[in-house]
Amino acid sequence: MGPDNSGKAIRRIFTRKGFLKKMLRTGAPSAYGIKTMLYGTLLPPPMIGAAFPDILRKTAAMGHETGIHCWDHVKWHDLLPWMPKKTVAMEMGRAFALYEQIMGQRPRTTAAPGWTVSEDSLEIQDALHLSYCSDSRGTSPFYPVLDNRRFATLQIPTTWPTMDELIGENGITADNINDHYLACLRPGLNVHTIHAELEGRVLAAQFTDLLQRLKDRGARFITLAEAAVEHGANAAESSMAMGELAGRAGAVALQL
């Protein structure tokens, strides 16, 4: 919702093992564009949510679910473990306030940048009385237990690997990636995270093909809000911890 500081992610070359390899493997410079990769460093960071309010409103009008990702993506993703609770609350609060200003209603969900969480971020989510959050990677909806502390907000984890985690690894290419995804399809809830720069642009044809092939198999498409209603009542507690995941540089929140 706030500033695009994508250029500051360059520091991950020094702080996250495998980050440079992943960027080169997935063709990030061409996918995101050189200009975007300079925002927040050589170029001033543009404001995202305030610049495109009509897109948010149009998305909701088309029947899609909307919610909060963050205020500053790079700041949250890279620095959350070291943020004081007050700063975490401020980051989330600024995003919530702008969303409400644009949409005319409070957001009911969040999805953390890079699947990055802390005790403080989960506590603040609970205080906001959200319907659910999608901050983690796992297998099924659950109520998170982090560092022996149980939290009240339902987590609906991403269950599939993302395209940028797969392409260039283990013989997977843009031409055969959908064969891999169909092999990942399981009975019940499957949750797939996509990125506008990839599935919305350079891999749009592959994503369209994936949707069609899923429809041909009889898949039912629902919002995560609908999934929360269907699965929340029977969801169990499950431990959550930050850990490594194949294809990603740095730790993510994992359902254990």
Side-chain angles (χ1 to χ4, degrees):
M1 296 298 291
D4 184 350
N5 278 308
S6 296
K8 292 182 179 179
I10 192 68
R11 62 190 172 209
R12 294 177 195 161
I13 291 176
F14 308 103
T15 61
R16 295 179 182 243
K17 182 181 178 181
F19 176 75
L20 180 59
K21 178 183 176 182
K22 177 178 178 289
M23 291 296 99
L24 297 175
R25 172 173 57 80
T26 58
S30 59
Y32 290 84
I34 297 300
K35 187 176 181 181
T36 296
M37 297 183 74
L38 295 176
Y39 286 152
T41 55
L42 296 180
L43 295 176
M47 301 300 286
I48 301 173
F52 303 102
D54 291 342
I55 291 179
L56 271 172
R57 288 191 286 260
K58 181 179 179 181
T59 300
M62 292 172 68
H64 299 289
E65 184 180 11
T66 60
I68 294 297
H69 194 33
C70 60
W71 178 254
D72 183 329
H73 190 288
V74 174
K75 182 178 180 180
W76 185 285
H77 192 182
D78 292 358
L79 303 178
L80 180 66
W82 299 278
M83 285 186 197
K85 184 188 294 186
K86 183 177 179 180
T87 302
V88 178
M90 182 179 70
E91 288 287 303
M92 199 173 292
R94 294 176 77 179
F96 270 63
L98 181 57
Y99 180 98
E100 187 169 0
Q101 177 184 327
I102 292 171
M103 304 296 286
Q105 60 185 23
R106 293 182 67 254
R108 300 301 304 160
T109 183
T110 69
W115 300 277
T116 304
V117 304
S118 67
E119 281 194 69
D120 288 342
S121 72
L122 297 181
E123 179 182 317
I124 293 165
Q125 288 175 345
D126 280 359
L128 290 167
H129 302 289
L130 302 173
S131 299
Y132 73 90
C133 291
S134 188
D135 304 322
S136 56
R137 306 293 292 265
T139 56
S140 60
F142 67 102
Y143 290 94
V145 178
L146 180 64
D147 293 334
N148 297 316
R149 182 178 176 185
R150 200 264 197 192
F151 294 90
T153 306
L154 179 70
Q155 281 283 333
I156 302 182
T158 294
T159 65
W160 279 8
T162 60
M163 282 193 177
D164 64 321
E165 293 167 0
L166 293 173
I167 290 178
E169 298 281 5
N170 303 312
I172 297 177
T173 68
D175 294 328
N176 63 25
I177 191 169
N178 287 342
D179 295 330
H180 180 84
Y181 276 132
L182 292 179
C184 292
L185 190 63
R186 298 289 183 268
L189 184 65
N190 297 262
V191 181
H192 182 33
T193 292
I194 65 173
H195 295 87
E197 297 84 359
L198 296 177
E199 288 86 349
R201 291 177 58 190
V202 295
L203 297 175
Q206 286 81 359
F207 183 53
T208 300
D209 176 66
L210 175 61
L211 294 178
Q212 186 58 56
R213 292 172 71 174
L214 288 170
K215 288 177 64 178
D216 292 344
R217 288 202 172 197
R220 180 171 66 101
F221 296 88
I222 62 174
T223 66
L224 292 191
E226 292 170 329
V229 172
E230 289 188 20
H231 298 273
N234 297 318
E237 294 182 3
S238 185
S239 294
M240 173 195 278
M242 297 296 294
E244 300 291 327
L245 192 67
R248 297 216 70 81
V252 300
L254 301 175
Q255 179 184 13
L256 303 178

